[in-house]
């Protein structure tokens, strides 16, 4: 066991043997507070600590001081910035895309009343946004057995001006030498630190106090229970390889607290977030780079907090209508004939469908991505794509951001440095990606280089889009070649944000050529919500895969993303990854979940077309038809989500933040604002149902139930799923059966009113 259960080693990443030459610096009480151009500058001295397990000041080493900048914005945002690495504060970069509603609020300081020492930080609109307490601690002296605690900055922040829910820096310790969290601190290599030479300063930490009953949600597509308190997360994108483990395709350095504030750590560095784990009294953040840039976001509801977060990092764009239809795929189709046969059958048997996706098999060699159709199996790709278009099918294509050895583009890419190049010996690893082929990848396309980005957009993707392809699956991107050189970043600082640069390039060229802004992406970081849409990765075709997918989607929606999908009925088989048959019950239950998701795609390692499961195919077809009936409602809710803080698939706490129950419920969700969905995720056709306070109506039967209570062990036949609406709700539906969205005229949509006479759809 390597875990020590001590803060210095397990959170601050110090060498437990203390053999490494490194130093910890702890923040002390401010020595200067001044207003400068509307910001408040707080000078914080840092004291080096002795190189030992118990913290104690190394008084032989002079203190070093660094400024903490406090800045405020409308609406209800306080920003904290400090750097020990010489970085500059910026208001626009790849992650930050501030909306016009985000406006600087000049700050001033006002002294505490005469009987107290400190300063209130006051915004131009009159709100108090921070308090800097300089009072000496109150003592009732009794013993000199232990040395007094080291000084600390006692600063509390009120991003929305609500002084009942202050967010205070945490100086969390048991006794003076035994610290469990630091309000501010940093580490240096070689034991030295200066305000002018930053090369030795490595990582920095900030901590906030939390309450015993505080809950936390968000942080990306987290495959965990709803309340994340008591856990520590490595915010380091990597191939999740499933949806039931700690690995995460989509880390987002943002969380929401049940005390109604959000926190966005503006960084692309590897970082660590402890949500009342290393200490139940503290939320702690550690950045692998010695800069801290923190946005504290206030609000009365989670939606308000998420809306402000999107105002900082960008709002989702509206995907095209056809993307909300059904996508059919598997891993993989290998020829035009095979695809045409499947599409013809979908039409002949009136399974509504809009998209046919070609995964790894459309190249000359399976998985060898060269961005060109196999000329033997797809002899006339333009005709093939256009023929499908005439039949109501849009074509989506798989690719990835690595150039393989053997790819025809390799020499061009290497010569022009469009891909990363090895620093030393040849390395073909992308850090653990789930490469199911035997291919070696020579390099990662370098989106930090504008010429490489142009090459990817115009030479690789544009010819495909011009022949009629409508969507590019921007698979992978969680891992890059770590022993390679990149034009404008180190690999450690690029890895997390790589997904954003990658998806932005694909999204932009797709929108430019086709008019439709869309990708189908797996990795994500802050800002990726601007380029929809994302899916949940390689889930198992099992009940735990289904449950894990929903958990991830709920947290993802609480991390700024509006649109999210998943592979139906799971990506891979169990226990044989490629070849175990799918449980038909899982297929049906996952289909029902898919109908009430923002997007709906069938994909996986074996047969996914419903006619291969004849006993359940009629059930599946009915649910597919329901999906298309609901498209007017889904489009309406999607447009609203693009202008607010709401996702389509949203945790119950979005609408009931003061109901303590819902901060722990991760197997129910709202779909838009009207539907409360309770998917069945076990094979016994039963589940417990929680209905929040008020009256609820079963959407399918019209049965009325009282909320504010649990209904235990409810039987749900395989062809049914519990879905509830409120009395008085109005649901837009499409009245006719269609084969694809090409057949739809949205002006024909009708509205169903949930009246006292409603008997179900």
């Amino acid at each position: 066991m390597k875990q020590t259960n001590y803060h210095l080693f397990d959170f601050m990443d110090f060498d437990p043997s203390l053999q490494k030459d490194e130093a910890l610096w702890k923040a002390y009480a401010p020595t200067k507070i001044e207003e400068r151009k509307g910001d408040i500058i707080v000078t914080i001295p840092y004291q080096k600590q002795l190189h030992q397990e118990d913290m104690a000041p190394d008084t032989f080493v002079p203190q070093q001081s660094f400024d903490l900048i406090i800045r405020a914005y409308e609406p209800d945002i306080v920003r904290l910035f400090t750097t020990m690495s010489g970085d500059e504060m910026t208001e626009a970069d790849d992650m930050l895309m501030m909306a016009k509603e985000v406006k600087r609020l000049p700050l001033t300081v006002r002294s505490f009343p005469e009987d107290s020492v400190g300063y209130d930080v006051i915004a131009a609109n009159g709100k108090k946004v921070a308090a800097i307490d300089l009072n000496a601690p109150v003592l009732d002296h009794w013993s000199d057995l232990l040395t007094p605690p080291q000084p600390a900055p006692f600063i509390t922040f009120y991003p929305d001006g609500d002084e009942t829910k202050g967010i205070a820096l945490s100086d969390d310790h048991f006794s003076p030498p035994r610290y469990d969290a630091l309000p501010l601190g940093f580490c240096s290599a070689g034991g030295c630190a200066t305000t002018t030479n930053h090369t030795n300063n490595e990582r920095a930490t900030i901590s906030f106090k939390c309450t015993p009953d505080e809950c936390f949600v968000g942080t990306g597509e987290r495959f965990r229970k709803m309340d994340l308190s008591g856990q520590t997360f490595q915010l380091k994108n990597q191939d999740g390889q499933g949806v039931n483990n700690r690995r995460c395709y989509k880390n987002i350095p943002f969380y929401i607290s049940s005390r109604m504030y959000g926190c966005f750590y503006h960084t692309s560095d590897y970082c660590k977030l402890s949500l009342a784990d290393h200490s139940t009294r503290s939320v702690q953040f550690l950045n692998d780079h010695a800069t801290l840039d923190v946005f504290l976001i206030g609000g009365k509801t989670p939606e308000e907090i998420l809306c402000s977060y999107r105002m900082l990092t960008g709002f989702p764009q509206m995907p095209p209508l056809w993307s909300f239809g059904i996508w059919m795929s598997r891993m993989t189709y290998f020829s035009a004939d095979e695809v045409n046969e499947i599409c013809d059958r979908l039409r002949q048997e009136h399974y509504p469908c809009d998209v046919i996706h070609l995964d790894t098999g459309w190249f000359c060699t399976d998985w060898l991505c060269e961005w060109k159709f196999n000329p033997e199996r797809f002899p006339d790709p333009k005709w093939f794509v256009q023929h499908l278009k005439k039949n109501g099918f849009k074509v989506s294509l798989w690719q990835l951001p690595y150039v393989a050895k053997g790819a025809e583009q390799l020499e061009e890419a290497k010569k022009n440095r469009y891909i990363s190049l090895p620093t030393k010996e040849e390395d073909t690893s992308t850090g653990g990606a789930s490469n199911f082929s035997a291919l070696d990848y020579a390099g990662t396309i370098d989106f930090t280089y504008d010429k490489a980005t142009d090459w990817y957009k115009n030479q690789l993707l544009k010819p495909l889009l011009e022949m009629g392809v409508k969507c590019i699956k921007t698979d992978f991107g969680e891992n890059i070649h770590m022993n390679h050189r990149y034009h404008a970043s180190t690999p450690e600082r690029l890895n997390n944000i790589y997904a954003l640069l990658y998806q932005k390039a694909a999204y932009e060229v797709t929108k430019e050529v086709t008019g439709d802004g869309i990708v189908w992406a797996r990795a994500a970081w802050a800002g990726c919500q601007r380029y929809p849409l994302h899916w949940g990765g390689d889930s198992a075709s099992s009940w735990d895969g289904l449950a894990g997918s929903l958990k991830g989607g709920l947290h993802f929606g609480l991390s700024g993303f509006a649109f999210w999908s998943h592979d139906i009925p799971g990506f891979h088989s169990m226990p044989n990854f490629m070849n175990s048959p799918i449980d038909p019950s899982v297929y049906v239950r996952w289909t029902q979940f898919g109908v009430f998701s923002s997007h709906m795609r069938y994909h996986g390692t074996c047969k996914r077309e419903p006619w291969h499961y004849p006993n359940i195919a009629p059930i599946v077809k009915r649910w597919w038809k329901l999906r298309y009936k609901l498209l007017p409602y889904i489009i309406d809710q999607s447009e609203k989500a693009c202008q607010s803080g709401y996702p389509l698939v949203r945790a119950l706490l979005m609408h009931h933040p003061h109901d303590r129950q819902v901060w722990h419920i991760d197997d129910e969700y709202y779909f838009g604002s009207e539907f409360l969905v309770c998917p069945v995720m076990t094979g016994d056709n039963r589940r417990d149902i929680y209905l929040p306070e008020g009256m609820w109506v079963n959407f399918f039967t019209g049965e009325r139930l009282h909320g504010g209570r649990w209904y235990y062990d409810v039987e749900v036949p395989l062809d049914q799923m519990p879905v509830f609406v409120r009395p008085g709700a109005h649901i837009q539906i499409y009245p006719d059966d269609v084969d694809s969205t090409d057949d739809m005229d949205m002006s024909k949509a009708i509205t169903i009113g949930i009246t006292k006479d409603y008997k179900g759809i």
Side-chain angles (χ1 to χ4, degrees), residues 461-643:
L461 298 193
K462 194 171 185 179
L464 298 168
L465 297 165
E466 286 178 335
M467 73 171 61
V469 171
K470 297 292 281 186
C471 180
I472 300 299
K473 178 178 174 179
T474 48
D475 203 356
F476 292 85
E478 308 90 355
N479 302 92
I480 63 175
H481 287 80
M482 297 304 294
N483 294 330
H484 281 208
R485 298 189 304 275
Y486 297 84
H487 274 76
S489 181
T490 63
E492 291 79 12
R493 304 201 75 184
L494 175 61
N495 190 83
N496 281 338
I497 205 172
Y498 184 83
L500 176 59
L501 307 180
Y502 170 32
Q503 291 157 26
K504 179 176 185 285
Y507 182 94
E508 287 178 345
V509 70
T510 301
K511 189 171 180 69
E512 173 193 332
V513 175
T514 71
D516 292 335
I518 189 171
V519 293
W520 189 274
R522 192 174 73 174
W525 190 255
C528 281
Q529 73 274 3
R530 303 194 295 260
Y531 311 112
L533 58 110
H534 295 77
W535 100 98
D538 297 342
S539 52
S541 297
S542 62
W543 299 115
D544 50 62
L546 175 56
S549 294
L550 178 54
K551 286 179 170 69
L554 292 175
H555 282 295
F556 197 51
L558 291 162
S559 304
F561 289 75
F563 303 105
W564 169 83
S565 188
H566 40 87
D567 288 342
I568 305 171
F571 172 71
H572 69 91
S573 300
M574 291 291 289
N576 186 301
F577 191 91
M578 301 292 288
N579 303 306
S580 292
I582 298 171
D583 181 341
S585 297
V586 172
Y587 192 109
V588 172
R589 294 304 190 187
W590 214 310
T591 291
Q592 294 166 346
F593 170 40
V595 167
F596 290 88
S597 299
S598 86
H599 289 76
M600 188 173 180
R601 185 183 78 154
Y602 288 77
H603 184 63
T605 57
C606 56
K607 298 169 183 175
R608 290 296 184 267
E609 300 78 26
W611 51 79
H612 295 295
Y613 308 89
N615 291 337
I616 61 169
I619 299 175
V620 170
K621 183 183 288 189
R622 289 198 297 273
W623 283 91
W624 283 26
K625 289 179 181 292
L626 175 64
R627 171 70 182 192
Y628 279 76
K629 285 186 179 298
L630 293 175
L631 284 184
Y633 169 82
I634 295 170
I635 296 301
D636 176 66
Q637 293 292 312
S638 297
E639 290 172 344
K640 291 175 180 176
C642 290
Q643 301 169 22

Side-chain angles (χ1 to χ4, degrees), residues 171-191:
D171 191 54
D172 185 347
H173 59 276
F174 165 66
S175 64
R178 179 58 64 202
Y179 279 81
D180 291 316
L182 299 178
L184 288 161
F186 72 97
C187 305
S188 64

Side-chain angles (χ1 to χ4, degrees), residues 63 81 87 142 146 242 271 278 301 334 459 545 600 607 632 679 751:
Q63 293 180 353
F81 181 88
D87 292 330
W142 174 70
L146 293 176
C271 42
H278 284 272
T301 67
F334 284 103
Q459 301 301 314
M600 188 173 180
K607 298 169 183 175
T751 300

Side-chain angles (χ1 to χ4, degrees), residues 26-145:
K26 181 187 183 298
Y28 273 22
T31 56
K32 186 178 181 182
I33 295 109
E34 63 177 331
E35 182 272 331
R36 188 186 304 162
K37 295 181 179 179
D39 294 333
I40 303 304
I41 312 301
V42 183
T43 302
I44 305 282
Y46 291 81
Q47 179 65 61
K48 181 177 179 291
Q49 304 296 300
L50 293 173
H51 194 47
Q52 60 187 32
E53 181 178 309
D54 287 331
M55 284 180 60
D58 186 345
T59 55
F60 291 99
V61 177
Q63 293 180 353
Q64 298 293 331
S65 292
F66 297 92
D67 288 339
L68 173 67
I69 301 173
I70 303 176
R71 180 174 292 178
Y73 303 86
E74 291 180 335
D76 298 336
I77 298 168
V78 172
R79 185 179 188 180
L80 317 176
F81 181 88
T82 187
T83 181
M84 301 84 182
S85 301
D87 292 330
E88 300 247 343
M89 193 177 184
T90 180
E91 294 193 332
D93 61 15
D94 292 316
M95 283 171 284
L96 287 180
M97 184 179 285
M98 292 188 182
K100 64 181 184 300
E101 293 86 355
V102 178
K103 298 176 181 177
R104 286 272 302 275
L105 277 173
L107 299 175
T108 57
V109 292
R110 181 179 64 199
S111 296
F112 281 4
E114 291 183 4
D115 58 346
S116 190
V117 183
Y119 298 90
D120 288 327
V121 178
I122 309 298
N125 60 7
K127 289 192 303 186
K128 182 166 82 171
V129 299
I132 304 169
D133 189 347
L134 301 177
N135 287 290
V138 176
L139 298 177
D140 182 7
H141 190 79
W142 174 70
S143 172
D144 293 319
L145 179 64

